[in-house]
Amino acid sequence: MPAQSSSALSTVMCEPVWRFIGAGTPMRDLVRRHAWEHTALGPVAEWPASLRTAAGLVMHSVHPMFLWWGEQLVQIYNDAYLPCFGEGKHPAALGQAGRDCWPETWAIIGPQIDSVRNGGEPQWYADNLVPIWRNGRIEDVYWSYTYTPVFDEADQVGGVLVVCTETTAQVLAERRRHALDLLARSLLNCRDEAQVQGALADCVAGNPGDLLGAGLRRGAAAEVAGGADAEAGMVVIHGAELQLCDDLTLVFRASPRLPLDQPYRQFLEQITAAVCATLSRIESDRALALAMAESERLNVDLNLSARIKDEFLAMLGHELRNPLAPIVTALKLMKLRGADTGHEQAVIQRQVDHLVRLVDDLLDVSRIASGKVELRKETLQLSDVLYKAIDMASPLLEQKRHRLLVEVSSVRWHGDPARLAQVVSNLLNNAARYTPAGGHITLSTRLQQQTIQIQVKDDGCGIAPALLPHIFDLFVQGNRQLDRAKGGLGVGLALVRNLVQMHGGEVSAASAGEGCGSTFTITLPDGLAEGAPAPLAVLAETEPLQAAATSVNVLVVDDNRDAADSLVELLGVLGYSAVAAYDPVEAIAAAAGAMPQMAILDIGLPGMDGYELAGHLRRLPGGAQLKLLALSGYGQDGDKARSKEAGFAVHLVKPIDIAVLEAVLQLEQ
């Protein structure tokens, strides 16, 4: 324990000869008992006044002080200096000659003392390294001190007074903090374990006072390093002790000139923690990089799958539309010729319309999912859009003899009329399919807080509670019989939700349960009321097209003979002069013999597609004035843009809407 530092004199009466020394502390009592007569200083009673004054100053100070006196520099020190000795020198140092007491450090302090004794100016030494022998070894000890001359009665330097403070703890703390800062900066740039080992080696090289060596060990090697045969001075810090890197251990060779105390071990633990944290960060970065690479690979695979899916759906639509084209054309021919096949025509028309709607819905879902659908917005009467939707759904409504009640407000609305008509017609068709024959369906609108609601309500089979939260998911449908009498692919409501959300709105479904009907509500922004609801009746079926006399020559090119022949026959009935060609070579030969005024070219021709064929036809004599119409099972925006760039006036999608075709032909005349 540190010696007492009180400067109070003992209450015991001191003899006058000892009064300057005092009593009651270990060093004061030791100085009083010391046999000074056997030293160069002689008996205390014979000490000169200068020595007595200097010794008294030392003994009564609470700061560590040391006095050297005479030629031999005989030593006197106080209680506050005792902790600086450690073990090994005290109490033998009291009254001992300076050179005999401090042989290990005399090369440093001897010249400093001689300088003061020989008249030199006192110097202040701050945080100076003065290694001393203590605790059984040479220790690196740092001091802040000064040597002050003490003059005797002859006005000569009789002794040297030392006022000192040991600063070892502060110096080591600052040095170790600096080493940790440099190590942290080096570790920050490390990207693998080899670089971490290099940073650790640099830390050792830059701080030889604390570290003679350091190394990383993993697994079994770490256990060997910390075993019973470990070298003296080796310190083993396991990452598991710090709750870091369970399989990692750092092995240090500590300096033998420093005590392995708590601050020293804490310094080594901080190095271990920094290394473990860096290795964990490197492993995390590596894992993150691998995860990102895997994510990128999965994204590539996903994009590839999405592209393949889109291509498949487009091909599916194309392949489905190819056989639909001659069916629709033949059906229209039957109607124009007035044959007594009304029932059969109605059956075919319903099934074709249903198939066309399925293909369109399937392709629309794919396009929306891939972000390829753009809304073409305009401001118009909402009622016009809803009438169009009713017209689109009327075949199924009439087939099942449903009663449709329509209550539509006069409202100006800004959006894509074609897409909204598609949404409402899907809801009407859905209601018609799931409502028994002769049921009731209501289409209504109402304004509410700057929004407009469109509601389709039926008294049909309703929606089960378990199905209701998923009713707008792709490929989800209600209870289906084995005969799939209600039809559909389960994409209609998913398409409804996507298109409504694209308009900034939302759609919801409500039902009290199976057999209790259902209500679908669309909420759209930007509705403005202008009038009251008015009941409407369902529109009648559109009148068939009438034949129009014309002398326009048309070349039809399609490798599907049924499609080509039926379209030629239909054009003939409509009053056009049409011929068919079933491959590009035959088409070029026909045009070379007699250049038509218009050509309807199938894009997906074998050997030479419609785009290339168009170029050949235009290079024939008279081909510059040829009007070209593209015909394809592909109807996405990119397909239409490509045909436009190739010089086609119109892009027709199979199966052709005959009314649209005739309007185009009349427009192009």
Side-chain angles (χ1 to χ4, degrees):
M1 293 179 62
Q4 298 178 25
S5 58
S6 173
S7 60
L9 296 177
S10 172
T11 57
V12 179
M13 182 63 66
C14 297
E15 300 177 19
V17 71
W18 300 105
R19 189 173 180 82
F20 73 95
I21 295 175
T25 69
M27 279 309 301
R28 291 172 185 173
D29 293 343
L30 187 60
V31 170
R32 288 166 61 88
R33 293 194 304 268
H34 192 72
W36 293 106
E37 62 273 14
H38 297 304
T39 70
L41 299 185
V44 174
E46 299 177 6
W47 285 5
S50 55
L51 174 56
R52 293 166 64 88
T53 300
L57 179 66
V58 170
M59 298 311 298
H60 290 283
S61 175
V62 296
H63 193 85
M65 297 181 72
F66 206 106
L67 177 65
W68 280 305
W69 194 268
E71 290 297 326
Q72 295 184 19
L73 298 176
V74 178
Q75 303 176 146
I76 301 173
Y77 46 90
N78 62 8
D79 291 279
Y81 191 84
L82 283 180
C84 301
F85 275 120
E87 296 181 2
K89 288 186 180 294
H90 176 76
L94 184 62
Q96 191 177 19
R99 183 185 294 271
D100 296 337
C101 183
W102 307 102
E104 73 276 12
T105 192
W106 200 255
I108 298 174
I109 67 175
Q112 297 171 350
I113 297 171
D114 288 342
S115 174
V116 173
R117 295 182 66 198
N118 294 329
E121 289 294 326
Q123 300 292 326
W124 172 254
Y125 301 93
D127 299 330
N128 199 38
L129 175 61
V130 183
I132 64 173
W133 177 270
R134 70 180 180 186
N135 302 322
R137 62 170 177 268
I138 294 291
E139 283 191 17
D140 285 345
V141 185
Y142 293 84
W143 310 83
S144 290
Y145 59 93
T146 186
Y147 295 137
T148 303
V150 179
F151 294 90
D152 59 16
E153 282 72 13
D155 205 22
Q156 300 297 315
V157 178
V160 176
L161 179 65
V162 184
V163 179
C164 61
T165 300
E166 183 180 346
T167 60
T168 305
Q170 296 91 317
V171 170
L172 293 183
E174 177 61 23
R175 183 173 77 190
R176 290 165 181 172
R177 183 198 63 77
H178 182 65
L180 289 171
D181 285 347
L182 293 179
L183 176 62
R185 294 178 190 176
S186 298
L187 292 175
L188 191 63
N189 298 319
C190 292
R191 294 294 177 266
D192 55 43
E193 187 168 319
Q195 292 179 349
V196 172
Q197 290 177 330
L200 185 59
D202 291 342
C203 180
V204 171
N207 192 11
D210 287 301
L211 300 171
L212 300 183
L216 298 177
R217 301 287 188 275
R218 287 189 181 274
E223 297 300 327
V224 172
D229 298 331
E231 300 178 13
M234 182 178 291
V235 181
V236 179
I237 308 292
H238 297 285
E241 299 174 20
L242 309 176
Q243 299 181 343
L244 294 166
C245 300
D246 291 345
D247 67 331
L248 180 69
T249 296
L250 261 67
V251 180
F252 299 95
R253 288 182 58 205
S255 171
R257 297 169 68 94
L258 294 173
L260 191 57
D261 53 14
Q262 179 59 31
Y264 198 171
R265 184 172 181 86
Q266 184 179 20
F267 170 59
L268 302 181
E269 289 176 350
Q270 288 173 320
I271 293 177
T272 304
V275 170
C276 286
T278 300
L279 290 175
S280 296
R281 186 257 302 166
I282 290 172
E283 291 176 3
S284 297
D285 289 348
R286 185 181 296 115
L288 179 60
L290 291 174
M292 292 180 65
E294 178 65 12
S295 177
E296 181 64 24
R297 185 188 67 78
L298 292 175
N299 282 334
V300 170
D301 291 346
L302 183 61
N303 291 334
L304 178 61
S305 298
R307 183 174 62 82
I308 292 173
K309 178 205 68 176
D310 290 343
E311 291 176 353
F312 166 75
L313 290 175
M315 180 64 72
L316 174 64
H318 178 269
E319 293 302 317
L320 289 174
R321 281 178 171 140
N322 271 332
L324 281 173
I327 296 174
V328 171
T329 304
L331 178 61
K332 187 58 63 176
L333 280 171
M334 293 168 65
K335 289 182 177 181
L336 290 175
R337 288 172 176 166
D340 188 15
T341 56
H343 175 70
E344 291 79 4
Q345 291 180 27
V347 172
I348 296 174
Q349 186 68 62
R350 284 196 300 271
Q351 297 306 314
V352 168
D353 290 345
H354 180 61
L355 185 54
V356 170
R357 186 172 63 254
L358 291 179
V359 173
D360 288 341
D361 283 354
L362 194 60
L363 294 180
D364 274 340
V365 168
S366 173
R367 285 195 289 266
I368 290 174
S370 58
K372 296 179 180 178
V373 169
E374 293 184 3
L375 300 179
R376 296 185 174 93
K377 294 186 176 182
E378 57 182 287
T379 301
L380 72 170
Q381 285 288 338
L382 181 62
S383 58
D384 293 341
V385 180
L386 300 183
Y387 298 161
K388 176 62 176 176
I390 293 171
D391 194 33
M392 294 166 64
S394 60
L396 186 56
L397 293 169
E398 293 173 357
Q399 175 193 348
K400 301 195 72 173
R401 303 185 305 281
H402 291 316
R403 177 177 176 81
L404 175 63
L405 176 64
V406 180
E407 297 178 350
V408 178
S409 300
S410 177
V411 176
R412 299 284 292 174
W413 174 77
H414 183 73
D416 188 325
R419 290 301 182 182
L420 183 58
Q422 182 181 4
V423 165
V424 177
S425 67
N426 270 357
L427 292 181
L428 290 172
N429 279 316
N430 190 70
R433 281 199 302 272
Y434 288 92
T435 299
H440 298 79
I441 299 173
T442 301
L443 172 63
S444 61
T445 63
R446 63 176 177 175
L447 299 175
Q448 189 173 23
Q449 297 180 350
Q450 301 302 315
T451 62
I452 184 168
Q453 290 185 345
I454 303 172
Q455 195 170 82
V456 176
K457 184 176 182 180
D458 65 65
D459 55 2
C461 61
I463 305 171
L467 180 64
L468 196 58
H470 309 286
I471 196 66
F472 293 102
D473 293 346
L474 192 60
F475 304 127
V476 171
Q477 295 175 299
N479 291 332
R480 307 300 303 271
Q481 303 299 323
L482 291 178
D483 61 1
R484 295 184 58 84
K486 296 182 177 64
L489 298 174
V491 301
L493 292 180
L495 182 62
V496 165
R497 179 180 61 182
N498 289 335
L499 289 174
V500 170
Q501 288 176 346
M502 289 180 67
H503 279 87
E506 59 184 26
V507 61
S508 62
S511 175
E514 293 183 286
C516 298
S518 58
T519 301
F520 288 83
T521 303
I522 301 169
T523 302
L524 295 172
D526 301 328
L528 181 62
E530 294 181 358
L536 299 177
V538 178
L539 300 182
E541 183 179 357
T542 303
E543 293 297 325
L545 292 172
Q546 301 296 321
T550 178
S551 60
V552 176
N553 296 320
V554 182
L555 173 63
V556 177
V557 184
D558 196 330
D559 60 319
N560 186 322
R561 288 179 175 267
D562 288 340
D565 291 343
S566 59
L567 183 54
V568 166
E569 188 174 357
L570 175 61
L571 290 171
V573 172
L574 294 175
Y576 296 90
S577 176
V579 295
Y582 309 117
D583 59 62
V585 174
E586 185 178 351
I588 294 172
M595 179 61 63
Q597 294 165 283
M598 294 185 187
I600 302 175
L601 307 183
D602 181 20
I603 297 301
L605 293 170
M608 179 190 304
D609 63 29
Y611 302 119
E612 189 176 355
L613 175 58
H616 282 285
L617 294 177
R618 287 193 180 280
R619 288 191 291 272
L620 293 175
Q625 287 74 40
L626 177 63
K627 301 294 184 180
L628 294 174
L629 280 67
L631 179 62
S632 175
Y634 299 105
Q636 298 187 22
D637 291 342
D639 303 314
K640 295 177 181 179
R642 185 179 177 189
S643 63
K644 183 177 181 180
E645 292 173 0
F648 286 88
V650 177
H651 185 101
L652 301 171
V653 180
K654 299 178 181 180
I656 302 174
D657 186 327
I658 304 303
V660 173
L661 174 61
E662 186 175 31
V664 169
L665 292 174
Q666 292 176 352
L667 185 63
E668 294 297 329
Q669 293 184 42

